[in-house]
């Protein structure tokens, strides 16, 4: 069921002849059963400001409750983190899919340049893959860079950290606006947990940044 307040109608997906439609809690059909799927590509369903996702012919787009198509079905996936941005993926070429963000009017607000995006409030953690490296950065929801895409890991304080058992890790703490608060050098995950617990007291909106040199890749080549 969709996110709703007690004073708003509740909507549910129904199926006819293998096609998905939408009706409200009184049984009124809002969207006819003409879609391959309604909701989001991760299997969840919600309506955000009268907008939800739909799938046609293997591709995803956005539709509103007035039966107006906000976008064509042109995306590989669309998922909603709950706000006014939709994380979408687009096939760039036969071998490459990239992620970006669109708003509820279908406007692209974050270009399709990234290999993954996670939205946290008014910020998005993005990452790109290059050979055997994965580098993370922090942007706002209009693609303004806050932290450059160069860190081994970025996540809000309180979430489990990524283990790097074979290298010494520099843990940096930043505010969500990109201001560095402190820096620790740790050599074990137990030390990391202690640092994270003490860092939580600084701010409720603190990011932990793992800045560790890559020791080797499967081909045995060392690099920073």
């Amino acid at each position: 069921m969709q996110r709703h307040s007690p004073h708003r109608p509740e909507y549910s997906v129904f199926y006819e002849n293998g096609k998905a439609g939408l009706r409200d809690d009184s049984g009124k059909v809002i969207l006819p059963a003409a879609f391959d799927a309604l909701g989001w590509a991760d299997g969840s369903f919600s309506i955000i400001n009268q907008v939800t996702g739909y799938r046609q012919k293997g591709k995803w787009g956005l539709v509103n409750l007035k039966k107006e198509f906000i976008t064509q079905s042109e995306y590989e996936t669309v998922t909603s983190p709950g706000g006014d941005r939709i994380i979408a993926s687009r096939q760039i070429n036969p071998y490459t899919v990239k992620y970006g963000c669109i708003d509820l009017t279908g406007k692209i607000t974050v270009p399709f340049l990234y290999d993954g995006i996670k939205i946290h409030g008014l910020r998005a953690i993005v990452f790109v893959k290059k050979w055997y490296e994965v580098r993370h950065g922090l942007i706002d929801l209009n693609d303004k860079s806050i932290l450059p895409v160069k860190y081994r890991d970025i996540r809000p304080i309180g979430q489990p950290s990524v283990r790097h058992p074979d290298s010494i890790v520099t843990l940096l703490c930043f505010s969500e606006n990109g201001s560095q608060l402190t820096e620790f050098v740790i050599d074990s995950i137990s030390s990391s947990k202690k640092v994270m617990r003490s860092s939580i007291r600084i701010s409720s909106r603190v990011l932990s940044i793992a800045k560790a040199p890559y020791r080797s890749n499967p081909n045995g080549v060392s690099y920073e």
Side-chain angles (χ1 to χ4, degrees):
M1 308 305 284
Q2 98 283 6
R3 305 178 184 99
H4 65 284
S5 76
H7 304 292
R8 294 180 181 175
E10 190 171 338
Y11 301 96
S12 59
V13 178
F14 71 95
Y15 294 89
E16 287 182 359
N17 301 319
K19 294 292 186 178
L22 190 71
R23 58 190 170 201
D24 64 18
D25 48 8
S26 71
K28 179 182 177 181
V29 174
I30 306 300
L31 296 175
F35 303 91
D36 295 338
L38 285 171
W40 309 109
D42 58 6
S44 64
F45 175 75
S46 62
I47 293 174
I48 310 296
N49 292 339
Q50 304 291 294
V51 173
T52 192
Y54 74 95
R55 189 183 75 220
Q56 291 280 47
K57 298 180 180 180
K59 300 285 188 177
W60 289 84
L62 299 182
V63 65
N64 65 27
L65 300 191
K66 297 178 181 180
K67 306 177 186 177
E68 297 170 338
F69 291 98
I70 296 171
T71 73
Q72 299 179 356
S73 52
E74 57 184 302
Y75 299 108
E76 297 301 306
T77 60
V78 290
T79 56
S80 171
D84 64 353
R85 293 293 189 273
I86 305 299
I87 299 173
S89 63
R90 173 178 280 174
Q91 189 160 9
I92 305 302
N93 59 50
Y95 310 102
T96 304
V97 173
K98 293 291 186 179
Y99 288 80
C101 289
I102 57 178
D103 65 18
L104 296 177
T105 69
K107 177 184 176 182
I108 296 173
T109 61
V110 175
F112 292 83
L113 300 174
Y114 303 103
D115 292 305
I117 298 175
K118 292 183 179 180
I119 292 179
H120 299 273
L122 298 177
R123 303 289 181 257
I125 297 171
V126 297
F127 70 83
V128 296
K129 298 176 183 177
K130 185 177 181 181
W131 299 102
Y132 297 100
E133 294 182 309
V134 178
R135 292 303 189 190
H136 296 76
L138 186 71
I139 62 174
D140 70 11
L141 300 186
N142 293 307
D143 200 40
K144 178 182 177 182
S145 177
I146 298 171
L147 294 173
V149 183
K150 69 176 186 178
Y151 296 99
R152 188 165 183 174
D153 186 49
I154 298 177
R155 62 189 60 219
I157 285 292
Q159 292 190 4
S161 62
V162 175
R163 290 168 170 79
H164 306 289
D166 57 350
S167 63
I168 295 176
V169 175
T170 301
L171 183 67
L172 310 173
C173 289
F174 286 83
S175 73
E176 65 169 10
N177 292 321
S179 300
Q180 185 172 336
L181 301 177
T182 187
E183 176 176 332
F184 305 91
V185 178
I186 56 177
D187 57 9
S188 71
I189 192 64
S190 60
S191 297
S192 174
K193 289 180 179 178
K194 291 178 182 178
V195 169
M196 289 174 68
R197 282 198 297 269
S198 65
S199 300
I200 292 172
R201 301 190 189 101
I202 299 173
S203 170
S204 62
R205 293 184 174 181
V206 175
L207 300 169
S208 65
I209 316 292
K211 185 182 180 183
Y214 282 77
R215 298 304 186 188
S216 63
N217 65 29
N219 292 329
V221 179
S222 297
Y223 49 85
E224 287 295 316

